[in-house]
Amino acid sequence: MKHSNLFIFLLFFMGISAETAEKICVIGTGYVGLVTGIGLAHLGHDITCIDIDQAKIDRLNRLEIPIYEPGLKELADPLMKEQKIRFSTDRVSAMRSADILYIAVGTPMSDDGCADLSALNATLNDIAQALNKKKIICIKSTVPVGTCAQAKQTLIKKGCDPLSFEIVSNPEFLREGSSVHDFLNPDRIVIGCEDHSAGLRIKNLYKKLIDNRSKCLITNLESSELTKYASNALLATKIAFINEIAQLCNKTGANVEEVARGMGMDKRIGEQFLNPGPGFGGSCFPKDTKALELIIKKHGLEANLINAIFKSNENHKQILLKQVDHLLGIQTVAILGLTFKANTDDIRYSFAIELIEHLQKRGAHIKAYDPQGTQNMKELFPNIEYCTSTKDTLKNSDLMVIVTEWDEFKKLNIKECADLMRTRRVMDMRNILDPNELKRNNFTFYNVGKMR
Ligand code: UGA
């Protein structure tokens, strides 16, 4: 064997194949599709993102990112200027010219709690019209186990030649608010496939990211689909669990942060995702735990544990609302934080929604402030008073309720807050204020598990 051939053979053997830029069409420019599309363009692939929403595509073509996601605009700007990523509503032609189709459409919770697959099914219709050459169809949307196999059958029923496509599952594990970091530094990449070479081709897209730290699992379609649901359900379990422990801490004098630290020192438990708060929210945990419960039941099994997570989360929120009632004497409430967590403008399943509804029923005057989420909340509740700073919100208020753990709330000067407020009452749902400092300034307060 010649030296050069030996070198290529060795590279291949070691799994380091030559750099290949792929032509990819990402379907759906929601939070998952947008971060995936921009991230893959950053890795050197040729990307067209498509959506049915003309207004959103117009904004993207004007270099406007329609969501607040730290670092995304900085990553996207040069790629958009250099035309390494394009945005279009011309779905079928964008799909035709690509070799890999990434499905990243929404699968929201439907009225019965199952994942609503209507956007996925509409996408499969478009794909059936666009299959002009062999393509890999990679499903990134969170879908119930069995959906990838079902998608294959759907395409065959629509007249597609089974040899003209391969279905691959590649669930996303990005967190809103840190999705750019998560995309570029993944703990793991999970790929499900029937045809191993299609799986390897998807793995190769992320080649620059796979190092000693990031692990890649190639498995079958069903295991990959279920890994996503099981991961989210386990993370939600950790949160529900620590919230129950936090309630017990408040009754017993234990400090939940110390308990969580002590637990987390055991590597089998791990220290992450043990921060108590106002229950888990967002577009994923509530929907995915509910969907998993229904999937388990559909298969004739009992979903006792998963069912308990949901119940525990709801119960925890009711306890917090009772504590708010306990503090609610005089009536102007200052809500700090509207989003379901910090560093996002997303208010889906945010505790702030339940809180506002609850306070409205009690006739409270509500002032609210969030660094990014105000606009979205205004669409739901146009008639509460929105402020543009923490100080304005607290001025003449009788109760401060911290819903979101934004950095600027962590830096609050308690003495200044005391001077601004009419009555010194705090409900700190993120445990970001120092209880001793609150006591020194004569606040009546609740937090989640560190009262003493
Ligand atoms: C979650 C998962 O963490 C991601 O891995 C997954 O990709 C994503 O769902 C998804 O399925 O798309 P995300 O919903 O963006 O990500 O947010 P998280 O940071 O996981 O927080 C979820 C909720 O749990 C928030 O309400 C947050 O405040 C709460 N939480 C989180 C806690 O109350 N305590 C914690 O220790 C952590």
Side-chain angles (χ1 to χ4, degrees):
M1 196 183 279
K2 275 195 215 156
H3 265 66
S4 56
N5 285 350
L6 181 67
F7 182 64
I8 291 166
F9 174 78
L10 275 175
L11 281 182
F12 182 76
F13 197 71
M14 290 159 68
I16 311 166
S17 61
E19 209 61 54
T20 338
E22 295 276 13
K23 218 166 162 23
I24 302 170
C25 173
V26 179
I27 303 149
T29 57
Y31 140 81
V32 173
L34 207 52
V35 177
T36 303
I38 293 168
L40 288 171
H42 176 76
L43 294 181
H45 302 290
D46 181 87
I47 306 294
T48 304
C49 290
I50 56 173
D51 204 293
I52 49 170
D53 184 340
Q54 184 69 53
K56 200 192 260 183
I57 293 296
D58 289 345
R59 285 186 71 183
L60 286 162
N61 278 321
R62 290 195 303 268
L63 302 187
E64 281 174 34
I65 302 286
I67 51 170
Y68 175 77
E69 188 62 41
L72 191 57
K73 184 156 174 53
E74 291 76 4
L75 197 69
D77 270 352
L79 299 165
M80 283 154 81
K81 281 183 193 135
E82 290 164 33
Q83 290 275 301
K84 290 187 172 155
I85 184 164
R86 290 163 300 279
F87 299 95
S88 169
T89 45
D90 189 354
R91 306 196 296 280
V92 172
S93 82
M95 288 182 191
R96 283 207 170 117
S97 59
D99 299 311
I100 298 176
L101 307 179
Y102 250 94
I103 302 182
V105 295
T107 52
M109 197 192 310
S110 57
D111 289 343
D112 60 3
C114 298
D116 176 352
L117 299 181
S118 51
L120 177 82
N121 290 329
T123 302
L124 292 175
N125 260 334
D126 289 342
I127 292 177
Q129 293 173 49
L131 267 184
N132 55 340
K133 56 181 170 178
K134 179 140 188 173
K135 294 183 200 292
I136 294 179
I137 300 165
C138 186
I139 300 189
K140 202 158 227 345
S141 307
T142 301
V143 291
V145 54
T147 304
C148 287
Q150 188 61 50
K152 180 175 177 178
Q153 292 313 316
T154 304
L155 287 173
I156 294 170
K157 272 194 205 131
K158 288 182 191 296
C160 300
D161 176 356
L163 297 176
S164 68
F165 66 93
E166 280 300 332
I167 301 269
V168 173
S169 157
N170 175 214
E172 60 96 11
F173 300 109
L174 311 172
R175 289 163 303 171
E176 288 185 35
S178 53
S179 62
V180 171
H181 172 272
D182 292 351
F183 184 91
L184 297 173
N185 305 279
D187 282 340
R188 59 188 156 159
I189 289 163
V190 175
I191 295 166
C193 53
E194 284 179 334
D195 170 34
H196 198 69
S197 65
L200 282 177
R201 202 152 147 214
I202 295 298
K203 177 181 176 183
N204 213 32
L205 297 179
Y206 302 102
K207 209 173 90 182
K208 288 182 183 162
L209 304 178
I210 299 173
D211 53 23
N212 292 336
R213 204 187 70 87
S214 312
K215 297 190 176 75
C216 181
L217 171 73
I218 299 190
T219 178
N220 68 13
L221 291 170
E222 291 75 12
S223 306
S224 170
E225 292 169 320
L226 195 49
T227 301
K228 167 71 188 190
Y229 274 104
S231 300
N232 273 3
L234 188 65
L235 291 170
T237 309
K238 277 186 107 172
I239 299 165
F241 182 85
I242 201 66
N243 283 335
E244 285 196 7
I245 296 296
Q247 296 299 348
L248 184 60
C249 286
N250 273 357
K251 297 271 184 206
T252 57
N255 178 325
V256 72
E257 283 173 1
E258 299 293 308
V259 175
R261 196 171 305 141
M263 287 166 65
M265 283 173 182
D266 184 330
K267 285 198 189 105
R268 294 170 303 173
I269 297 173
E271 64 191 14
Q272 291 188 42
F273 265 70
L274 288 176
N275 299 312
F280 55 77
S283 64
C284 305
F285 288 173
K287 137 180 117 66
D288 293 349
T289 45
K290 193 76 207 156
L292 182 58
E293 182 191 335
L294 295 174
I295 295 166
I296 292 172
K297 286 183 177 160
K298 197 179 120 197
H299 285 84
L301 301 167
E302 289 193 18
N304 298 324
L305 194 54
I306 311 282
N307 178 270
I309 302 168
F310 212 75
K311 234 164 112 182
S312 164
N313 199 46
E314 291 307 308
N315 188 48
H316 176 67
K317 291 191 280 186
Q318 290 309 315
I319 295 175
L320 298 185
L321 289 176
K322 276 195 192 124
Q323 290 170 341
V324 168
D325 282 346
H326 194 241
L327 292 170
L328 195 70
I330 325 163
Q331 298 279 300
T332 295
V333 180
I335 302 179
L336 298 183
L338 297 170
T339 52
F340 81 99
K341 65 173 188 176
N343 299 321
T344 177
D345 59 359
D346 196 342
I347 59 160
R348 284 176 289 177
Y349 292 93
S350 169
F351 183 71
I353 296 174
E354 278 163 74
L355 176 68
I356 293 171
E357 281 168 351
H358 185 82
L359 291 171
Q360 280 183 329
K361 278 188 206 137
R362 274 150 186 75
H365 173 70
I366 303 167
K367 295 171 85 179
Y369 166 65
D370 188 283
Q372 294 295 333
T374 302
Q375 204 46 46
N376 285 333
M377 200 55 101
K378 268 186 187 166
E379 283 168 27
L380 270 188
F381 297 102
N383 296 326
I384 64 171
E385 184 182 344
Y386 291 96
C387 302
T388 51
S389 72
T390 310
K391 279 188 183 165
D392 281 351
T393 322
L394 293 179
K395 209 168 173 185
N396 295 328
S397 67
D398 302 297
L399 169 62
M400 171 196 333
V401 186
I402 295 182
V403 177
T404 316
E405 72 285 20
W406 286 97
D407 276 347
E408 65 174 273
F409 304 150
K410 291 180 187 164
K411 294 176 199 148
L412 280 180
N413 179 318
I414 306 291
K415 168 85 181 60
E416 264 177 39
C417 297
D419 292 343
L420 284 164
M421 293 176 73
R422 191 163 49 199
T423 317
R424 297 179 184 190
R425 295 174 184 210
V426 170
M427 176 80 210
D428 176 8
M429 298 194 186
R430 295 288 181 172
N431 289 352
I432 58 178
L433 303 182
D434 178 0
N436 293 323
E437 194 61 14
L438 289 171
K439 279 179 206 157
R440 263 196 295 279
N441 286 281
N442 298 319
F443 272 91
T444 308
F445 66 95
Y446 278 108
N447 56 32
V448 196
K450 51 173 221 178
M451 290 299 286
R452 280 181 267 170

